[in-house]
Amino acid sequence: MNSQKPDIRFLFKPRGHAVIGASAAPSKIGNSIIRNMIHSGYEGKIFPINPKGGKVFDIPMLTSVDEISEECDLATIVVPAPYVFDAVKDCAKKNIKFLSIITSGFSEVGENKLEREIVTYANNHGMRILGPNIFGIYSAQARMNATFGPPNVTPGNVAIITQSGALGIAMIGKTQVENIGLSSIISIGNKSDIDEADLIEYLVEDEQTKVIFMYMEGVKDGVRLIEVLKKATRIKPVVVIKSGRSKRGAMAAASHTGSLAGADGVFAAIMNQCGVHRAIDIQEALDWCKFLSQNSHPVGENAIIITNGGGVGVLAADACEANNIHLFDDLKTLESAFKESVPSFGSVKNPIDITGGASMIDYEKCIVDAFNHKDIHSIICLGCETSVLTGETFKKTILDIHRTHGAKKPVVYSFVGGKDIEEGIKFLKSEGVPIYSDIGQAVSCLGKIYTDYRNRKSPMDGSSTPSDIANWVDIGKVKEIVKTAKADHRTFLLAHEAQAIMKAANVSIPKSVLATNLKDAISAANDMGYPVVLKIVSKDIIHKSDAGGLALDLQNEKEVIDAYEAVLHNSRRYKPDAHIKGVEVAEMLKPGVETIIGGRYDASFGPVIMFGQGGIYVEVMKDIAFRSITYDKHTIAGMLKDCRSYPLLLGVRGEAKKDIDGVIEVIIKVGLILSGCKDITDIEINPLLAYDEEDGVKAVDVRILLTK
Ligand code: ACO
């Protein structure tokens, strides 16, 4: 037994590579893999294995793994599922480090047990498994195309990790059409062992890889993935497509891969938090990958648009706003920069509009001026077909400009016109010019490079608990309360228990007393001061207002007496067998901004926190934002700002600013409670009332769910 993990570099650069199930029959996958490995010029030694012996592409086949007499780090397994485990055992005897199991018929069809057994055996013998249910791996540095996809893969600097086999194979062809070279393409299929996080960790260090592109269907170990992605995006761009955005798509993805897709809203928010670029479709993803792999970061935020048409200039300006690109607006600098090139009838206000009547010479000069100006950091160069800007003239001009100046700063080009322009775009693309027919797509590429540029400058949010806040919550007390509820076989806390948790976290809650008789209720109300609220307390009645177990805004003792009887009567009628613990007397709160704060264990990503517009319309408004658990105030503030209702906290129509720091503090405490007490699965405070800064916040209704 040797359970030490092998160095993943051997997966990408194996000294020898066995193919178990190699075949002389051209129709077999075991034949295509050998063909592709030879065709790509694999630098190591190939060991085809087939019990019948013979030759494949003139290479003699070994009849068993036992016969391998030289270093062999990787084995591709292409024998039917019932023979895979034996092949894995043979590999262990030869100290093979990595197994790429192409074979289908494991967890994706319910054979989880066999898959687990194989992985456990492999790991216990110092081996790691890629797959099963994959099309293989291509690694440019080893000149190794060990896939059964197309033989020709263009080497380059984009790495692709794909959970879908068929789509991955299709992407080999698609990247060729798009002139994108690959540093590697790795099919992960059922990801029984090696997953995205393992591969990203390697690819981030791999010098040849400039951009990592992932196609995902489901997330298994989201907590580790977050940790790895946060670090990776500081070093190189990561682009992701995840299927299952819709409910229908998520179901298809789940059954396809045997893994559950996380809720899309949480996935989107977490990718954003990690600095990952999420694309909607393959074209968008590949455009980003290509642009990001070929351009370095800008040195500043000042972008300009140069156009010969006002309309496209405005479209681009809109797209800049949507993509968070700052349009340089220092008029004095712009006037002096373009005084020679922009005609008097044009405009030097960004977008710089040379107008349709300007000559190609002016146009060229204007772009070159932009490239040479130190205060301009990036350029969006647009054009509409005119009598002077034709398919022929623009093609030559743009190619010359880009070749001479394109490396100076990030630039994207977009041109609109007929057949000649479209052909010109195709030609320029093939020459490596970042040019797009769609203005939005051009601008989004520049937007992504700016996102990376800013991400790398901002501090990384850590998920570990900073020592200065660790004692914000009395976790011992929290656990004690939860223990009592669990002893009572409950999977939720009663209102007063949830309030006690808030007290343990020093979160302000409305004054409240549990009364078990009318006399106590009256004296509690008198002590508290009017107005007050009465609420039924019963583990059998969750929705108090539905049961008539709630009475609001009681102004005096008489109203308390009437309401006390009514609340008990209604609740008994609503659920005659309900066990009623008493009636809660609470202060009636003055209005504030209603927010909702939550924390829960997500099946894919572990602990996540939530903020949004609270109150009874949460479901309808759906104005909520998520983050993976974090104690970083800046990141949490970003979550607040993601909500449409955020301006309410800043104060509208002359209102004072609300206690935003107080809201952030409660979110941090919810995170601390969730991570400190593993028996709690969900916390929801709705509403958390946010008052003016000096009045703080108040957690009105708190629901806490426990593990089963
Ligand atoms: N060791 C070595 N070779 C063996 C062994 C063994 N223990 N047992 C059998 N072989 C040989 C066979 O004799 C055969 O060689 P031959 O052509 O000379 O007779 C060869 O290995 C292959 O075995 P076959 O029984 O012919 O199996 P076949 O090639 O038809 O299928 C395969 C094997 C491809 C692994 C199949 O079981 C399978 O899983 N197919 C699906 C693969 C797939 O789609 N994966 C996901 C890809 S991703 C996507 O969706 C595209």
Side-chain angles (χ1 to χ4, degrees):
M1 284 255 281
N2 157 29
S3 52
Q4 214 183 341
K5 280 186 181 176
D7 187 335
I8 199 155
R9 273 178 300 176
F10 288 110
L11 174 64
F12 289 85
K13 211 167 184 321
R15 291 164 294 181
H17 187 157
V19 179
I20 304 172
S23 169
S27 60
K28 300 268 175 93
I29 292 181
N31 182 276
S32 310
I33 288 177
I34 303 276
R35 181 199 64 197
N36 285 352
M37 274 169 54
I38 296 170
H39 186 87
S40 57
Y42 173 55
E43 290 166 342
K45 181 126 194 221
I46 304 173
F47 304 103
I49 317 282
N50 185 313
K52 292 188 274 185
K55 282 188 170 180
V56 55
F57 299 104
D58 276 343
I59 308 176
M61 295 206 255
L62 306 178
T63 58
S64 92
V65 177
D66 274 355
E67 291 173 25
I68 297 174
S69 58
E70 292 164 72
E71 291 287 3
C72 180
D73 300 314
L74 172 61
T76 290
I77 299 181
V78 253
V79 291
Y83 309 113
V84 169
F85 203 170
D86 283 342
V88 170
K89 288 176 184 163
D90 291 346
C91 291
K93 285 185 228 147
K94 282 282 155 189
N95 295 325
I96 292 176
K97 298 176 176 64
F98 288 92
L99 307 173
S100 164
I101 305 182
I102 305 269
T103 311
S104 303
F106 295 92
S107 65
E108 83 283 4
V109 292
E111 292 290 342
N112 300 52
K113 188 165 172 268
L114 177 60
E115 187 174 291
R116 262 325 328 139
E117 278 171 6
I118 291 175
V119 173
T120 307
Y121 182 92
N123 290 169
N124 286 341
H125 290 80
M127 300 188 289
R128 296 207 66 193
I129 287 178
L130 187 64
N133 187 31
I134 58 173
F135 66 82
I137 174 169
Y138 162 80
S139 168
Q141 56 171 310
R143 299 165 65 95
M144 180 183 79
N145 179 2
T147 74
F148 63 90
N152 292 324
V153 187
T154 312
N157 50 22
V158 175
I160 300 180
I161 301 170
T162 173
Q163 200 172 348
S164 161
L167 194 68
I169 291 178
M171 267 191 295
I172 297 179
K174 180 83 179 145
T175 48
Q176 285 219 316
V177 173
E178 297 285 334
N179 259 319
I180 298 174
L182 301 180
S183 59
S184 50
I185 178 159
I186 313 114
S187 169
I188 51 175
N190 297 0
K191 10 183 207 183
S192 66
D193 182 10
I194 295 175
D195 64 7
E196 296 93 348
D198 295 311
L199 296 167
I200 295 167
E201 261 179 345
Y202 167 79
L203 292 168
V204 163
E205 301 292 324
D206 174 38
E207 277 181 18
Q208 189 167 342
T209 300
K210 294 269 182 288
V211 177
I212 301 166
F213 171 31
M214 292 195 282
Y215 168 82
M216 299 175 76
E217 288 175 348
V219 179
K220 275 185 177 167
D221 185 355
V223 174
R224 179 154 174 257
L225 185 64
I226 291 170
E227 197 183 303
V228 170
L229 281 174
K230 276 185 185 170
K231 288 185 192 144
T233 55
R234 303 258 134 188
I235 300 168
K236 44 187 83 165
V238 180
V239 174
V240 70
I241 290 189
K242 180 175 170 291
S243 57
R245 292 175 92 94
S246 61
K247 277 189 188 144
R248 195 66 198 236
M251 273 161 64
S255 53
H256 184 148
T257 61
S259 63
L260 274 174
D264 197 66
V266 174
F267 180 85
I270 289 179
M271 288 302 112
N272 201 16
Q273 183 182 359
C274 293
V276 171
H277 307 301
R278 185 176 184 193
I280 289 178
D281 55 38
I282 300 213
Q283 189 60 53
E284 182 171 67
L286 292 181
D287 282 344
W288 291 350
C289 286
K290 188 172 177 182
F291 185 75
L292 295 169
S293 69
Q294 292 173 349
N295 287 275
S296 37
H297 283 183
V299 296
E301 293 279 356
N302 298 340
I304 63 153
I305 299 169
I306 296 174
T307 180
N308 71 341
V312 289
V314 176
L315 285 177
D318 288 348
C320 282
E321 193 173 303
N323 284 278
N324 217 359
I325 295 173
H326 167 72
L327 286 178
F328 187 38
D329 54 5
D330 177 344
L331 201 55
K332 261 198 174 144
T333 309
L334 290 169
E335 268 165 2
S336 89
F338 297 108
K339 63 177 179 296
E340 302 286 319
S341 46
V342 175
S344 55
F345 46 86
S347 167
V348 292
K349 281 186 196 151
N350 199 0
I352 317 294
D353 187 357
I354 60 161
T355 76
S359 71
M360 246 357 242
I361 295 168
D362 287 341
Y363 191 47
E364 184 171 352
K365 182 144 185 4
C366 186
I367 301 170
V368 172
D369 282 347
F371 269 117
N372 289 334
H373 201 288
K374 69 169 180 37
D375 294 330
I376 293 171
H377 305 127
S378 60
I379 308 166
I380 298 161
C381 181
L382 310 174
C384 293
E385 189 173 19
T386 63
S387 56
V388 281
L389 196 154
T390 63
E392 238 357 86
T393 54
F394 107 93
K395 196 162 83 176
K396 188 180 167 321
T397 308
I398 297 301
L399 188 61
D400 287 349
I401 292 175
H402 194 71
R403 280 198 176 145
T404 318
H405 302 279
K408 290 179 183 165
K409 52 191 72 166
V411 56
V412 286
Y413 306 86
S414 183
F415 286 82
V416 185
K419 194 164 157 267
D420 287 350
I421 295 285
E422 282 299 322
E423 273 169 13
I425 291 175
K426 215 167 149 194
F427 165 77
L428 289 167
K429 267 192 177 172
S430 71
E431 293 293 321
V433 178
I435 184 162
Y436 310 83
S437 315
D438 183 57
I439 295 166
Q441 196 55 2
V443 175
S444 85
C445 286
L446 192 65
K448 295 301 146 199
I449 216 165
Y450 266 115
T451 306
D452 282 340
Y453 165 73
R454 289 179 205 125
N455 276 350
R456 265 172 241 183
K457 287 204 307 185
S458 64
M460 186 158 74
D461 75 311
S463 52
S464 54
T465 319
S467 52
D468 59 324
I469 61 157
N471 61 1
W472 278 14
V473 175
D474 181 351
I475 285 294
K477 182 79 197 155
V478 171
K479 286 182 174 165
E480 207 178 284
I481 298 163
V482 168
K483 199 171 159 195
T484 313
K486 296 229 33 131
D488 203 13
H489 305 290
R490 274 186 281 125
T491 54
F492 62 91
L493 295 187
L494 294 171
H496 72 280
E497 292 168 328
Q499 285 161 355
I501 300 255
M502 291 297 109
K503 278 186 196 151
N506 210 7
V507 173
S508 173
I509 54 171
K511 282 180 228 154
S512 123
V513 170
L514 177 70
T516 48
N517 57 55
L518 179 60
K519 196 166 145 268
D520 287 355
I522 294 168
S523 81
N526 287 337
D527 288 351
M528 219 170 268
Y530 293 93
V532 295
V533 176
L534 296 193
K535 300 178 200 174
I536 197 76
V537 179
S538 166
K539 69 176 165 54
D540 305 313
I541 300 174
I542 307 265
H543 298 290
K544 300 175 184 66
S545 48
D546 292 358
L550 189 66
L552 302 172
D553 204 11
L554 307 172
Q555 297 289 346
N556 50 45
E557 196 172 309
K558 180 176 179 315
E559 285 186 16
V560 169
I561 295 168
D562 293 347
Y564 187 88
E565 297 305 336
V567 157
L568 280 176
H569 175 77
N570 293 343
S571 303
R572 284 198 184 111
R573 203 177 47 188
Y574 177 76
K575 206 159 196 197
D577 58 345
H579 174 77
I580 291 170
K581 206 167 168 156
V583 174
E584 183 192 339
V585 184
E587 69 174 300
M588 175 82 192
L589 295 163
K590 58 179 178 149
V593 172
E594 293 193 333
T595 67
I596 180 168
I597 287 176
R600 71 178 172 88
Y601 262 88
D602 181 82
S604 301
F605 290 106
V608 294
I609 47 174
M610 181 190 82
F611 170 81
Q613 182 178 2
I616 54 172
Y617 299 122
V618 173
E619 300 291 331
V620 183
M621 302 308 288
K622 287 201 170 68
D623 184 22
I624 45 176
F626 296 94
R627 291 290 183 276
S628 152
I629 196 163
T630 175
Y631 304 107
D632 178 66
K633 287 189 180 172
H634 178 76
T635 308
I636 296 174
M639 175 164 74
L640 268 52
K641 287 177 194 158
D642 279 357
C643 293
R644 296 189 306 279
S645 54
Y646 178 68
L648 297 179
L649 290 176
L650 296 176
V652 286
R653 303 178 69 117
E655 288 169 353
K657 188 177 165 207
K658 308 301 167 213
D659 184 14
I660 294 176
D661 286 345
V663 173
I664 292 174
E665 208 167 277
V666 175
I667 296 172
I668 290 176
K669 287 175 176 173
V670 164
L672 288 169
I673 296 168
L674 201 60
S675 59
C677 181
K678 302 288 182 228
D679 279 325
I680 295 180
T681 59
D682 292 73
I683 303 173
E684 189 180 292
I685 307 175
N686 183 22
L688 175 96
L689 290 176
Y691 294 118
D692 296 356
E693 276 174 324
E694 62 278 12
D695 293 334
V697 297
K698 216 156 235 187
V700 180
D701 210 345
V702 186
R703 285 192 200 167
I704 297 182
L705 302 183
L706 309 176
T707 48
K708 293 210 167 73

